[in-house]
Amino acid sequence: MDLCVIEDNPVNLRVLKGVIASVPGWNAEGFQCPLAALERCARTVFDLVLVDYQMPGLDGVEVIRRLRAMPNFASVPTVMITADQDRDLRIAAIRAGATDFLNKPVDPEELRVRAANLLALRRAERALADRAVHLADEIAATRRIAEREEEVVLRLARAIEYRDDHTGDHILRVARNSRTMAQALGLPDRFRRDIFLAAQLHDTGKIGLPDSILLKPGRLTEDEITVMRQHTVMGGEVLRGGTSDLIVMAHDIALHHHERWDGAGYPHGLAGDEIPLPARIVAVADVLDALRSERPYKPAWTADRAREEVMRLSGTAFDPACVQAMIRAWPAIQAHYSHPVTH
């Protein structure tokens, strides 16, 4: 630890430096001239400053005041050494920024103990400052990772749109409805952000379906429906093994958004709480929007009719809590259909 000692009396200065040098790991730099000390401090940051009060030119209070005006010395412990017990002087020194006091003649053991305590505080403060910088770097790095993750998700969602061009708007509406329902369920901001992105990948597996089935203008045959249902498994495979919460959620949604609350869904026949919550939310949002959207094999349903159908299926196809969230959030969900979808 580096200490700065400002004392115009050469004998006293030598004594103070000797006491400091007696402690392993402490280094002392001494100055008889306060202006020279301030010039040095402008270039070097010390861990502790000891300054005499009575000096020619600048007294100790003014030296402390000027030190505190230096950005690097705003919090460096500063001890004023004085034989003067005047209360007003000590108040003035404290107002200037003095951390502690030592009385003349200085007791060597008291100097070592007080300095050790102040240096311990200095180390703790520096460790805290370093930790704050480290945390700021971690936050910035996490933000960059999240931004890259979001970019990858949005580009993959765009690829799904190109593969199945009649569902592009459907993808974003499902994402918006899912986020709105998550909010109605009281889920945290991070969950809502993740489900908005992950829901856009719910049909990722359709990338692997043949055009003859994916783009068929009419209803599918039973055999074609069996193939179509494989998009959940294929989507799960595409997104399997992710390490981020977002990709894990996207995997669960892609694989399980066609499971049913009563266990009659696919691909694994999960029931109730066995189905991951994000998939249960997206299941409602997906069917609601599919009902409200025009398809080659059906016209679009009215909002009221689609809502009534989802409510009818509460407790069989859908988690009742998710259906209730849809009902509570209905005005906000309606707004998603009042404004054009933008990508």
Side-chain angles (χ1 to χ4, degrees):
M1 305 295 283
D2 296 318
L3 290 76
C4 174
V5 184
I6 310 171
E7 165 63 77
D8 65 307
N9 185 299
V11 175
N12 291 342
L13 180 61
R14 187 165 55 253
V15 170
L16 292 171
K17 290 179 63 179
V19 173
I20 292 168
S22 69
V23 180
W26 290 10
N27 303 303
E29 193 168 344
F31 301 89
Q32 289 181 247
C33 173
L35 289 175
L38 290 170
E39 289 178 3
R40 177 65 169 158
C41 289
R43 302 188 304 273
T44 302
V45 180
F46 292 95
D47 298 301
L48 178 64
V49 177
L50 293 89
V51 55
D52 187 30
Y53 170 61
Q54 292 183 331
M55 295 182 294
L58 297 178
D59 63 26
V61 173
E62 182 59 26
V63 170
I64 293 173
R65 185 176 291 112
R66 295 192 185 189
L67 278 173
R68 291 296 184 229
M70 298 179 184
N72 290 333
F73 280 85
S75 59
V76 172
T78 305
V79 178
M80 196 170 82
I81 303 171
T82 177
D84 199 329
Q85 298 295 321
D86 182 76
R87 175 179 176 277
D88 291 341
L89 168 62
R90 289 182 174 250
I91 294 297
I94 292 171
R95 285 176 175 163
T99 310
D100 204 351
F101 296 90
L102 279 171
N103 294 324
K104 285 185 176 181
V106 174
D107 181 299
E109 186 59 24
E110 182 182 6
L111 169 57
R112 283 189 284 263
V113 171
R114 287 183 180 271
N117 288 340
L118 292 172
L119 288 170
L121 290 173
R122 173 66 172 165
R123 283 193 295 270
E125 180 194 58
R126 290 172 67 176
L128 186 60
D130 290 344
R131 178 60 178 160
V133 171
H134 180 66
L135 285 174
D137 290 343
E138 284 186 341
I139 290 170
T142 300
R143 185 181 299 113
R144 288 193 295 271
I145 291 171
E147 289 170 352
R148 294 190 187 108
E149 190 177 54
E150 182 173 342
E151 180 182 3
V152 170
V153 168
L154 293 177
R155 288 181 182 275
L156 182 53
R158 182 65 59 85
I160 297 168
E161 290 178 19
Y162 281 121
R163 182 72 177 87
D164 186 14
D165 59 11
H166 73 272
T167 63
D169 292 353
H170 166 73
I171 287 172
L172 194 54
R173 284 195 300 265
V174 168
R176 288 176 172 176
N177 291 345
S178 298
R179 179 175 59 190
T180 300
M181 290 166 55
Q183 183 173 4
L185 286 166
L187 295 168
D189 290 347
R190 179 57 187 266
F191 186 100
R192 301 202 300 263
R193 175 259 183 189
D194 283 354
I195 200 168
F196 173 74
L197 295 168
Q200 297 183 54
L201 302 183
H202 71 281
D203 278 339
T204 296
K206 287 187 176 180
I207 292 175
L209 294 177
D211 288 349
S212 60
I213 292 177
L214 185 63
L215 304 179
K216 184 175 179 179
R219 287 189 175 276
L220 301 179
T221 66
E222 288 299 320
D223 289 342
E224 290 170 337
I225 289 173
T226 298
V227 174
M228 172 66 82
R229 288 183 173 183
Q230 287 302 304
H231 82 275
T232 56
V233 176
M234 288 186 284
E237 283 299 307
V238 168
L239 297 166
R240 184 167 58 88
T243 56
S244 74
D245 292 343
L246 172 59
I247 300 304
V248 170
M249 182 185 289
H251 164 270
D252 289 346
I253 290 171
L255 182 60
H256 298 301
H257 69 285
H258 284 295
E259 302 285 2
R260 287 172 53 106
W261 185 252
D262 60 7
Y266 63 89
H268 297 137
L270 302 183
D273 291 339
E274 293 177 336
I275 308 167
L277 176 58
R280 304 199 310 259
I281 294 171
V282 172
V284 174
D286 184 27
V287 170
L288 174 65
D289 190 75
L291 293 173
R292 296 190 62 174
S293 302
E294 182 180 355
R295 292 290 184 264
Y297 52 86
K298 77 168 188 68
W301 288 23
T302 66
D304 289 343
R305 185 185 176 194
R307 181 180 63 178
E308 291 300 319
E309 178 66 6
V310 171
M311 292 170 62
R312 186 183 69 80
L313 295 172
S314 177
T316 53
F318 305 125
D319 178 353
C322 294
V323 175
Q324 287 302 311
M326 179 202 73
I327 295 169
R328 290 194 300 274
W330 190 251
I333 290 174
Q334 284 289 83
H336 299 159
Y337 295 85
S338 302
H339 302 95
V341 173
T342 56
H343 300 277

